[in-house]
Amino acid sequence: MPSGSDTTEEAVSGTTPDGPVPSARTGSPASPGRPGRARRLLAFVRREAQRTGLAVVFGVALGLAFPPYGLWPLSLVAVAALSLLTRGRTARQGAWTGLVFGLPFFLILLKWLHVVGWDAVVGLSIAEALFVALLGAGLAVTSRLPAWPLWSACLWVAEEWARDRLPFGGFPWGRLAFANTGSPFTPLAALGGAPLVTFAVALAGTLLAACAAALWALRGNGTVRRAVTALEAFGLAAAVTLAGLLVPVPTKADDSVDIAVVQGNVQQAGMDFLGRPMKILDNHATATEKLAADIKAGRAKKPDLVIWPENSSDLDPFQYPQAYDRIDEAVKAIGVPVLVGALVDHPSKKGYVFNEGIVWDPKKGPGASYTKQHPVPFGEYVPFREQLSKIITRFQRVPRDFYPGDHTGLLNVGPARLGDVICFEVAYDEIVHDTVGAGARALVIQTNNATYGRTGQPEQQLAMSKLRAVEHGRAVVTAATSGISAVVAPDGRITHRIPEFTQGVVSARIPLRDETTLADRVGAAPEWALAIVGLLSCAAAVIVGRRGRTKDEKGQQ
């Protein structure tokens, strides 16, 4: 008699070796043939209901590990939970668990996109959760291998490697490392960057899962061996967690420079933050002139340079004389070079603009500049604009496409050699790494988060600045139009900060460093190595599984 999951030729034709099968009447029970796709799906959902609920809960927990909540220990708990929920499962079951784990995680992490529209939140969350579905499948198939916590941790790195690059250059938000910018894992960034931090967090979490699995097994057979296994796994998890505390974070300065960061503020938060033309520019110019007046009156110390944020000039100063003159007045008033953020029309491609940081000298005027290399898809440019704009009219609110730059942001701003990184670029390893490699002695993150003010997004981006400071051993200065503007020391500590939607100026002395970290020297090698090991472990698990099935089939014969 064929099993319920098989459909024999006789069943299809309506006959059996003993004669014809009576036809089924309407409403009679279904024949014991293969169930339809809908029935199989319903049965799958019922079987996975409890596991699905747990995956959703721990996906939410992972979201709470990130700013603005910042409960980083939950990242370990969430990793451990996903490992246990996929352990011993099929690839398909693991993929489903990964998907329902990843979707609530990204919904919480990316809820700041609701300013654009909740459909954008859901759409991007689904796209990102698909990568976690692949991770879940990988965790399931490798869970039967010896040393499975190690392979699982490598797979977390592989998942982030793919998500950081695909599609349209990737979207690195939600890396485990970015939830651990103030935890014992953070110093590991100086050795291997964000990928090593992710690996360590994932390894500690999967080792906790191994400990929990061994303790659960003690219920049925409390052998000494299993107790020792549980203790070993817990001890290794603790060792991995605390290992970062032994890593020296270099902070000794070769030189220093006095800076002032101007946060001019905007008229309102949201998509229409620009307000009337020249308003944002005038805010930053006025705040700079007020600082100049305080210096003249002896109430403030004169800086060596001033930093304005991204889009601090809301008009192209090379196309609008009033914008040029307003910047020039403020720069001459302060009497030191100012790094100005502005959108500049492309000289030859109509409809394209550069997102630039421009060094503006009080005597020579505008000089060297840096153009953002990685514009945000669907935010700063629209792929397939002609086709998509007909379907999604919201894209018409992005009237011009940002044109990417072709070089790093190494700029001489007064006496300092700074590395300029614009807004979301701080999330991309290679852009920051190349900027430091080019000779940047400190980093500047020019950003405009006014669209996402008071949504948690500025806190998430500031956390990335903290990790970059440790990773490269550089002071990181974040200059934002509406906040959060801050100064981060090379050890990741925030030393100065201006709250959101507050006009203000931060004055600080920042260290300038020439020494590079091990992470600077090894670059992306650790990430590639760990990701490749993770993928190879999946291949090994598939091969081992096939050999096991072949042996079983031969044994049955």
Side-chain angles (χ1 to χ4, degrees):
M1 188 72 179
S3 67
S5 60
D6 295 324
T7 303
T8 65
E9 183 178 351
E10 291 83 3
V12 172
S13 63
T15 63
T16 69
D18 299 323
V21 177
S23 59
R25 295 180 181 178
T26 304
S28 63
S31 62
R34 183 175 181 175
R37 182 175 297 175
R39 286 181 58 191
R40 293 199 305 273
L41 179 60
L42 182 60
F44 176 81
V45 170
R46 286 175 176 172
R47 289 195 307 269
E48 297 295 314
Q50 185 176 4
R51 197 178 298 267
T52 297
L54 289 171
V56 169
V57 168
F58 287 107
V60 170
L62 183 57
L64 298 177
F66 287 78
Y69 315 102
L71 305 174
W72 68 264
L74 289 179
S75 62
L76 296 174
V77 175
V79 169
L82 184 60
S83 297
L84 292 172
L85 291 171
T86 55
R87 181 161 167 73
R89 311 291 284 173
T90 66
R92 183 178 300 179
Q93 291 167 334
W96 170 256
T97 302
L99 180 66
V100 296
F101 173 91
L103 185 55
F105 161 52
F106 283 110
L107 286 172
I108 288 179
L109 182 76
L110 304 177
K111 65 180 178 61
W112 44 266
L113 260 179
H114 78 270
V115 177
V116 177
W118 281 104
D119 56 337
V121 178
V122 174
L124 183 56
S125 296
I126 291 173
E128 296 298 296
L130 291 175
F131 288 94
V132 186
L134 294 176
L135 170 64
L139 294 176
V141 299
T142 57
S143 64
R144 297 176 178 85
L145 294 176
W148 62 269
L150 177 61
W151 319 130
S152 297
C154 291
L155 284 172
W156 275 93
V157 177
E159 179 266 335
E160 291 186 359
W161 176 92
R163 197 160 52 79
D164 294 353
R165 292 164 173 82
L166 301 169
F168 305 114
F171 187 68
W173 240 256
R175 300 168 73 177
L176 292 179
F178 294 154
N180 286 270
T181 60
S183 76
F185 296 99
T186 309
L188 294 172
L191 300 181
L196 184 60
V197 176
T198 286
F199 173 76
V201 174
L203 182 57
T206 51
L207 285 168
L208 288 176
C211 176
L215 289 174
W216 183 260
L218 285 173
R219 296 170 68 251
N221 184 9
T223 63
V224 174
R225 183 178 178 181
R226 284 180 176 171
V228 171
T229 300
L231 288 173
E232 287 177 346
F234 182 81
L236 286 172
V240 172
T241 302
L242 299 176
L245 299 178
L246 302 177
V247 177
V249 177
T251 58
K252 184 179 179 181
D254 299 296
D255 201 354
S256 62
V257 65
D258 291 317
I259 66 163
V261 182
V262 176
Q263 180 173 297
N265 206 6
V266 299
Q267 281 187 291
Q268 58 189 7
M271 293 288 288
D272 301 310
F273 67 88
L274 284 173
R276 63 175 176 80
M278 290 283 293
K279 175 62 177 176
I280 293 178
L281 171 55
D282 192 62
N283 284 352
H284 287 83
T286 300
T288 303
E289 289 165 344
K290 183 178 183 300
L291 174 62
D294 288 342
I295 293 169
K296 188 175 182 178
R299 294 188 296 267
K301 181 180 179 182
K302 186 174 183 178
D304 297 310
L305 58 96
V306 175
I307 299 169
W308 286 8
E310 177 189 26
N311 303 153
S312 47
S313 177
D314 44 13
L315 293 177
D316 180 355
F318 304 110
Q319 296 292 330
Y320 295 89
Q322 63 268 40
Y324 185 104
D325 293 342
R326 191 70 186 93
I327 296 171
D328 208 48
E329 288 173 5
V331 174
K332 287 179 177 177
I334 197 68
V336 298
V338 178
L339 182 61
V340 177
L343 298 182
V344 177
D345 290 343
H346 195 290
S348 59
K349 292 182 179 290
K350 187 177 180 180
Y352 287 91
V353 294
F354 294 125
N355 188 355
E356 290 192 340
I358 306 167
V359 180
W360 207 290
D361 188 84
K363 295 180 180 179
K364 300 177 182 178
S369 64
Y370 166 66
T371 301
K372 187 176 184 179
Q373 301 173 71
H374 199 301
V376 179
F378 305 106
E380 294 176 331
Y381 76 98
V382 180
F384 313 112
R385 174 183 287 275
E386 185 177 350
Q387 296 79 11
L388 291 178
S389 294
K390 296 175 182 177
I391 304 170
I392 307 174
T393 57
R394 187 185 301 148
F395 288 149
Q396 295 173 7
R397 300 194 69 175
V398 187
R400 300 184 295 173
D401 289 335
F402 285 26
Y403 199 86
D406 58 4
H407 60 272
T408 61
L410 185 65
L411 298 171
N412 289 315
V413 187
R417 191 168 66 245
L418 304 179
D420 191 15
V421 176
I422 297 179
C423 202
F424 279 25
E425 288 185 327
V426 69
Y428 294 89
D429 293 348
E430 65 277 8
I431 290 177
V432 185
H433 174 269
D434 291 347
T435 303
V436 173
R441 306 182 75 194
L443 292 167
V444 172
I445 314 298
Q446 289 184 292
T447 188
N448 174 18
N449 292 323
T451 299
Y452 307 113
R454 300 193 181 101
T455 64
Q457 188 270 354
E459 286 92 340
Q460 292 176 5
Q461 192 171 317
L462 182 59
M464 299 175 194
S465 295
K466 292 172 61 179
L467 187 77
R468 298 306 181 196
V470 176
E471 180 179 357
H472 302 289
R474 296 291 187 270
V476 177
V477 179
T478 298
T481 49
S482 59
I484 304 167
S485 297
V487 177
V488 183
D491 60 3
R493 290 180 301 107
I494 297 176
T495 60
H496 301 76
R497 178 172 177 154
I498 305 177
E500 288 188 81
F501 297 104
T502 303
Q503 187 177 98
V505 176
V506 155
S507 296
R509 171 168 289 186
I510 64 169
L512 301 177
R513 303 189 70 255
D514 295 311
E515 181 185 355
T516 56
T517 63
L518 181 60
D520 291 320
R521 296 190 286 273
V522 299
E527 182 181 30
W528 280 89
L530 292 169
I532 289 172
V533 169
L535 295 176
L536 289 176
S537 69
C538 284
V542 171
I543 293 171
V544 170
R546 286 179 178 175
R547 286 179 178 176
R549 286 193 297 271
T550 302
K551 289 181 180 179
D552 290 341
E553 290 171 359
K554 289 182 178 179
Q556 291 174 2
Q557 293 174 357

